[in-house]
Amino acid sequence: MSQKFRIALVTGATAGFGHAIALRLVHEGYRVIATGRRQERLEALAGQVEAGRILPLRLDMTDLPALRALPHSLPQEWQAVDVLVNNAGLALGLEKAWQTNPQDWETMIATNVTGLVEITRALLPGMVARNSGHVVSLGSTAGTYPYPGANVYGATKAFVDQFMRNLRSDLLGRQVRATTIAPGLCGGSEFSQVRLGDQGKADAVYAGTAPLLPQDIAETVAWVLGQPAHVNINHVEMMPTCQASAGLAVDRSMLGS
């Protein structure tokens, strides 16, 4: 296999953002390790491009031994990962904090926080040793702007943003870049269906809107990676034009009490 291609690893590539990012990076000239839990979807993704350009790899982001063993468990010709796109993540439920299922909180933390830092820790030493690489993590505007029911999901995305900022600080003086991309309202993925557990409710989230789409996120990832080697894009916050921050909420029920 030709060694002219750079290697990118994209987590959560079975649908939505990760699927679009993997295809876009192949278009940009990368070989892509596409990971996720649904092997059949990864195989289908690999079948959309030239043979050998996508390596489908079943990987559960909550399987810590697998994440820690990743650098040496990859085929030798795929081990020098140049780009890590931390896309895998999820939200579960919109209940208020005292009503939520604690297992949902644990799952979000295990995937959005623990899995992300573990795979980053696994692949980062190779990038530092080669003095070349880029870590891109998908955050969310929920990490900046709170809303009812976001509780732990928003907190995990705030963690991602701060972790990446500190990572950039650690990497000062090395040619390894670190970027957070924080989208707002996004359609065209399984995000709301997974969160709400109902396709009808998921569709209602986007009724009357023109949300961001996975292709918009993939375009942004490609732009970030395509900057000159001396340019680090620290943070990208993006929303569709139908969305803006809502400002502070005020409870007026206490008037006259």
Side-chain angles (χ1 to χ4, degrees), residues 138-161:
L138 269 294
S140 170
T141 55
T144 302
Y145 309 104
Y147 59 87
N151 42 69
V152 165
Y153 172 68
T156 64
K157 291 304 185 177
F159 176 94
V160 170
D161 189 28

Side-chain angles (χ1 to χ4, degrees), residues 188-206:
S189 75
E190 299 177 338
F191 178 84
S192 290
Q193 183 181 1
V194 170
R195 184 174 207 173
L196 302 174
D198 181 274
Q199 187 60 56
K201 291 180 180 178
D203 292 342
V205 172
Y206 308 105

Side-chain angles (χ1 to χ4, degrees), residues 232-246:
N232 190 91
I233 305 299
N234 296 332
H235 181 96
V236 177
E237 179 182 289
M238 52 194 297
M239 295 181 182
T241 54
C242 65
Q243 184 183 37
S245 58

Side-chain angles (χ1 to χ4, degrees), residues 125-143:
M127 295 183 186
V128 172
R130 294 186 296 273
N131 198 33
S132 176
H134 201 148
V135 179
V136 179
S137 292
L138 269 294
S140 170
T141 55

Side-chain angles (χ1 to χ4, degrees), residues 89-110:
L90 77 166
L92 295 171
L94 273 171
E95 296 82 8
K96 301 296 178 63
W98 61 93
Q99 298 169 325
T100 192
N101 178 353
Q103 182 59 54
D104 288 347
W105 281 4
E106 293 172 12
T107 300
M108 286 186 281
I109 292 168

